[in-house]
Each structure stands twice: as structure tokens, then as C-alpha cells.
Amino acid sequence: MTDANVHAAPRWWDAVKVIPASGWALLLGLGVAEGLVLLVCTALPLPYGPAGSVVELVIGGLVGAGYWWLALRLLNPGRPLAGPLRFPLLAVLLMLTDAQHLLLLALRADVLPERTLAFALVALPLMVYLMYVGLLVPMAVRVDGGGLGRALRLAHGSWWTVLHVLPLVLIGQVVAAGVQQLHLRAVADGPTGSSLLVVTAVGMLIGIAWHTLSTVLLHAAHRAAVHRLDPPRTPTDAPTGSAFGGPSQDVVAT
């Protein structure tokens, strides 16, 4: 890889700036739809124990795959993407990298060793690593037409990718914990039903706003990671479209 290729890599902030208000609105609407589907699914009478955890894992994988399938189409207008036959692969890989639900399943199935400090020191980095790889899975499958191997190549391809994607994992966990604490405090304070609904809605909107922003940042980080991993050698190798913006400026018009 030459220095020229490195310096020519797309800047991830540029991918945020070029998205018009209508694009953000579409992504936010997609996030709201995903949140409502998950909210409805939480009301289902799921069995308790490992069976319930498996159902939650499957629901999360399918809903998450649906979100990313549509979001990446919005972010790549006019660009050929993986076909519908790869949707099941995306859903399965999202389940396999869903560290939180996998841990909950293991806890309910009572297959983990005694939960000591040593166990926590091993489990926590593994969970973070799974979440890190999991964030790259949608682009690896839907945009690159690959699978888990492609996601691992992207994850290990550059320190730049680690430094830009790993913070999104950590910030996402902080946002999720904050929303959960907001909801728990509201329940502990004993608000009325309408007040609790307002608090729940605010927490959900905060989560959706972060989810939307992180989607765009991950997509931009993926484009830069691909540029570093497989630098384009000819104009025809460059991306055919920019997010919501028609043809990319680095593509020679024909």
C-alpha cells in the first residue's frame, strides 16, 4: 500500500456531511420502525430460561438484519449490493456476534464456570471483540458480498479501523446503560403510567438517534477500511455512488 493510497482514503466525517436532511429522516424512520418491532416482540409471551434467550437471539438477529439490509441500500444508492439470498447469512452472523444475548443465553443455561474476577477478565474482552466484529458484519455481507471471513479481515486490517470502530462499541454501551438507568429510575420513583410512557419514549429516541448516527459512521469507517485493505487501482474500482449524493466525485464519468 502506498502513501498516496492512504492519503486518498475517504474521510469518514465527509460521509456524515454529505447526507441531506431527507436522508437522515429516512434513516431515523428506519430506526424508529426497528425499535417499534423490537418493542412489540418484547411483549410476546416468551418462555423463560434458555429457550426464551434463543428466541430473543433469533428475533434480534432477524430484526437487525432487516434494519441493516435497508439502511445500507439507502447509504449506497445506485451501487450493486448483495442479493436477498445473503440475508439469512447476515441474520445468522449477527446472532453469532450478539455478545449480550449470547452471554444471557449462557447464564440461563448455566454453562459458564464460576463467575469470578478471572472469568470477568476473560469474558469482558471477548464480548467487546465480538461486538467490534459484529459492527462490521453488515457491511462485509451486504456491501462486500462476503461473510465472517471478510468481517474479520476488515476488523484486523488496520489500526485505523480499530480506533474508529471500537469507540462506537464503547459509546453504544454507555448510551444503552444510560437509557436503561433512566427507565429504572423512572420506575423506582413511581411515576404515573403516562409519565413512564414519556420517559420510555425519550429513552427510545435517544437510543434511535445514536443508532442512526453510528450507522452512518460505521458505513463511512467501512469505506475507509476497504480503501486501506483493497486500495482501488483504476477509476472503475472506486465506489460507484456516495451516500444519498449520486455519483461519487472520484469516479470518472462515462
Side-chain angles (χ1 to χ4, degrees):
M1 183 184 300
T2 64
D3 291 339
N5 284 329
V6 173
H7 294 310
R11 294 177 297 181
W12 74 336
W13 187 246
D14 289 341
V16 178
K17 294 189 296 182
V18 299
I19 298 179
S22 59
W24 286 107
L26 287 171
L27 287 172
L28 282 170
L30 190 57
V32 170
E34 180 193 30
L36 290 175
V37 171
L38 290 174
L39 189 63
V40 170
C41 290
T42 58
L44 297 176
L46 300 180
Y48 184 76
S53 295
V54 171
V55 174
E56 291 173 355
L57 183 67
V58 171
I59 290 174
L62 290 173
V63 175
Y67 169 83
W68 277 107
W69 200 262
L70 297 175
L72 289 172
R73 169 45 66 200
L74 291 174
L75 288 166
N76 293 274
R79 179 176 182 175
L81 299 177
L85 292 179
R86 298 190 73 82
F87 181 86
L89 174 63
L90 176 56
V92 170
L93 291 181
L94 288 178
M95 296 175 206
L96 293 177
T97 54
D98 188 345
Q100 292 175 320
H101 279 102
L102 288 175
L103 178 62
L104 182 60
L105 173 60
L107 289 172
R108 289 180 174 176
D110 199 23
V111 297
L112 294 177
E114 184 178 356
R115 289 177 283 284
T116 61
L117 177 60
F119 168 77
L121 292 176
V122 173
L124 184 59
L126 179 59
M127 288 182 62
V128 172
Y129 176 73
L130 276 178
M131 288 186 282
Y132 166 64
V133 174
L135 288 181
L136 293 168
V137 161
M139 281 72 67
V141 175
R142 178 72 159 135
V143 179
D144 298 344
L148 182 59
R150 177 62 177 179
L152 291 172
R153 284 189 65 204
L154 291 170
H156 300 160
S158 169
W159 277 106
W160 186 98
T161 305
V162 177
L163 294 175
H164 284 77
V165 176
L166 189 58
L168 298 180
V169 174
L170 303 178
I171 295 173
Q173 293 305 301
V174 171
V175 171
V179 170
Q180 185 179 33
Q181 286 299 315
L182 180 67
H183 179 75
L184 292 176
R185 180 167 296 184
V187 172
D189 291 341
T192 62
S194 58
S195 299
L196 183 58
L197 182 61
V198 170
V199 172
T200 302
V202 169
M204 186 175 177
L205 289 176
I206 293 173
I208 290 171
W210 167 249
H211 190 28
T212 301
L213 177 60
S214 64
T215 296
V216 175
L217 294 177
L218 281 170
H219 178 257
H222 166 259
R223 293 186 65 178
V226 168
H227 194 286
R228 286 168 169 79
L229 192 63
D230 306 308
R233 294 187 175 89
T234 65
T236 56
D237 292 331
T240 58
S242 58
F244 299 101
S248 177
Q249 294 180 354
D250 57 357
V251 177
V252 177
T254 58

